[in-house]
Amino acid sequence: MPLNEERARSLMAERGVEAIIATSPQNVYYITDYWSDGLELGASEAYAILPLDGGPLLIAPVGEIDLIAEGEAIFESLYLYGSPGFEVSTDWTAERTGEILSLLEGSKIYVDAPSALSAALRDLKPSGRVALDSSGLPPQSLEALRSRVEDVEVVEGSELLREMRMVKTPLEVGRLRRATEVLEKAMEDALEIIGSGVSELEASGMFRYSLASDGGVETLILLGFGERSSYPNPLPSTLEAAGGDVIRMRLGCTLGHYHSRVSRTALLGRPRKEIRERWEAVLSAQDEALEVLEPGASASEVYARVERRLREGGLRGLALSIGSGIGLEAYEPPRIRRGSDEELLEGMVIALDVRYLKLGSYGVEVEDLYHITGDGAEPLTRTARELYLL
């Protein structure tokens, strides 16, 4: 499972937390390996309880019992709720059906989610501090949930869970690496078809097709040709590429619920001197950041190094943030920005993004994923960091 168990237990003990209740799809998945589409869409409730000692408890709708079985969710106890919405056949043959029936037979089904959660808490018997993740709940549900644990001290748990997730396990790094591979392949497939007369929409369509073919889910497509490459957020349009255009793309996806992003710049034809110089300044600034992208560095120090190198290259207008952690969410701590006192830790994965936009003319950008190790920054992005010439 994704859970960084050693870090989680250590942080809980440090905060004096006896148990933590996860409510968002990302946090429930992190603790149990169970992803609920209903929870993500706001159509159902699911909870995961991680005690300081012992395995996780999972509270989920009985109507998603097949997702629990097929996702091979990890839990010590399962609490189901709601109406099944199906009858059980007596002549089933599939092995997976047997696993689903085994889960049903081994679990009591409660009338609703609050009742199932109450049963889990009664069995757990927390007597100290409980951290409640509010990130997956509307205000009215949050208050109702707090009333279920009124006999113990309840503290906010969403930031604690994010702090747990900041440092990735080898399993998570592998998933981020695979998501990046799929994303880069789709990006290169899109670049392959770009030429005079090809529109931004057509290029983005190729990106989507390639990504979906490998199981990826699109999360971000910013793609601008020519003058539109200078726009901060160039949503694909019917504009067709022409000779001499700068092509700037910033793309994102998920694979197995883990996010990745990549940004690249291309030229349709030979680059003008100004564009080449601006590109080299941006690339040099990212290289400068890599010099300090290591455990113990502060996020503000990384930002300052990039800002200084861009100024030396004659460039202004650096974004407020030039990167962040990435994982089950597209933007996780730490944020790489001016004044941040967040410290980089071994095991973090950072998306580092440097760009220069000359509004009304062109834009250049490079973004890559880096895994922070004891030896510095290991790139998860594998495509060349170069100005693509098409």
Side-chain angles (χ1 to χ4, degrees):
M1 60 181 170
L3 178 66
N4 190 334
E5 191 164 355
E6 182 179 352
R7 178 175 173 81
R9 309 286 188 192
S10 174
L11 288 171
M12 289 173 68
E14 182 183 305
R15 305 293 200 282
V17 169
E18 188 174 332
I20 187 164
I21 304 173
T23 66
S24 74
Q26 293 84 5
N27 289 332
V28 170
Y29 178 78
Y30 185 69
I31 291 174
T32 64
D33 232 10
Y34 162 63
W35 185 270
S36 167
D37 291 327
L39 180 59
E40 184 182 25
L41 297 172
S44 66
E45 295 177 61
Y47 306 101
I49 305 176
L50 180 67
L52 184 59
D53 299 304
L57 287 65
L58 176 61
I59 298 92
V62 66
E64 293 187 1
I65 189 69
D66 54 333
L67 297 179
I68 297 171
E70 292 192 331
E72 298 181 347
I74 297 170
F75 49 82
E76 186 171 290
S77 300
L78 175 63
Y79 300 79
L80 300 173
Y81 72 87
S83 173
F86 53 79
E87 292 184 356
V88 178
S89 170
T90 58
D91 57 355
W92 57 271
T93 58
E95 181 179 351
R96 184 65 77 192
T97 303
E99 294 171 0
I100 292 171
L101 291 174
S102 179
L103 286 176
L104 283 172
E105 291 167 1
S107 305
K108 186 175 179 180
I109 301 176
Y110 298 86
V111 63
D112 55 24
S115 299
L117 177 62
S118 293
L121 290 169
R122 281 196 304 271
D123 291 344
L124 189 61
K125 299 182 178 66
S127 57
R129 180 179 296 169
V130 171
L132 174 59
D133 162 32
S134 65
S135 63
L137 294 171
Q140 62 272 25
S141 297
L142 178 60
E143 288 307 310
L145 187 53
R146 283 183 178 276
S147 69
R148 297 281 171 165
V149 288
E150 59 184 4
D151 295 334
V152 297
E153 180 187 358
V154 179
V155 297
E156 176 55 50
S158 57
E159 289 307 312
L160 176 57
L161 276 158
R162 282 190 166 181
E163 191 174 353
M164 291 176 185
R165 287 168 31 201
M166 284 168 61
V167 174
K168 307 304 190 249
T169 64
L171 173 68
E172 291 184 288
V173 174
R175 291 181 180 180
L176 286 161
R177 192 189 309 277
R178 178 57 185 151
T180 303
E181 289 172 357
V182 167
L183 179 62
E184 290 183 283
K185 176 180 176 292
M187 176 193 71
E188 291 190 312
D189 287 343
L191 285 169
E192 187 71 26
I193 71 162
I194 296 175
S196 295
V198 174
S199 73
E200 294 170 353
L201 280 173
E202 288 170 325
S204 66
M206 174 55 76
F207 168 76
R208 289 188 174 98
Y209 173 79
S210 176
L211 187 64
S213 297
D214 287 324
V217 178
E218 161 211 340
T219 59
L220 178 68
I221 301 183
L222 299 179
L223 176 60
F225 296 167
E227 187 174 322
R228 282 175 48 80
S229 70
S230 72
Y231 293 3
N233 303 285
L235 298 176
S237 73
T238 57
L239 178 69
E240 296 178 353
D245 275 355
V246 174
I247 296 154
R248 179 177 140 256
M249 47 187 10
R250 188 166 191 242
L251 308 168
C253 81
T254 60
L255 183 73
H257 312 304
Y258 278 81
H259 286 260
S260 184
R261 286 195 304 279
V262 64
S263 299
R264 289 292 184 266
T265 305
L267 275 159
L268 196 54
R270 295 179 60 83
R272 302 195 307 270
K273 180 182 178 184
E274 178 186 344
I275 293 172
R276 171 68 72 180
E277 289 176 346
R278 296 297 185 260
W279 166 256
E280 290 176 351
V282 164
L283 192 60
S284 175
Q286 194 193 54
D287 285 337
E288 185 73 15
L290 297 181
E291 292 292 323
V292 290
L293 206 65
E294 60 186 11
S298 70
S300 59
E301 180 183 0
V302 178
Y303 184 95
R305 294 282 285 261
V306 170
E307 185 174 44
R308 183 167 61 249
R309 181 55 66 92
L310 286 178
R311 288 181 183 276
E312 290 170 355
L315 305 186
R316 300 289 188 274
L318 185 61
L320 293 176
S321 173
I322 58 168
S324 71
I326 190 168
L328 284 169
E329 294 179 272
Y331 296 92
E332 298 184 351
R335 290 297 181 97
I336 311 299
R337 57 190 174 190
R338 181 185 293 114
S340 172
D341 59 0
E342 294 179 284
E343 180 182 334
L344 304 187
L345 304 174
E346 184 173 352
M348 286 180 170
V349 174
I350 302 293
L352 188 61
D353 178 31
V354 185
R355 68 184 183 182
Y356 170 73
L357 306 179
K358 188 176 182 180
L359 191 61
S361 185
Y362 64 87
V364 295
E365 183 169 10
V366 61
E367 182 175 15
D368 300 281
L369 263 59
Y370 293 97
H371 175 217
I372 299 178
T373 72
D375 297 321
E378 173 203 8
L380 300 187
T381 315
R382 293 299 183 184
T383 47
R385 293 187 307 135
E386 63 183 24
L387 194 59
Y388 286 72
L389 302 180
L390 307 180

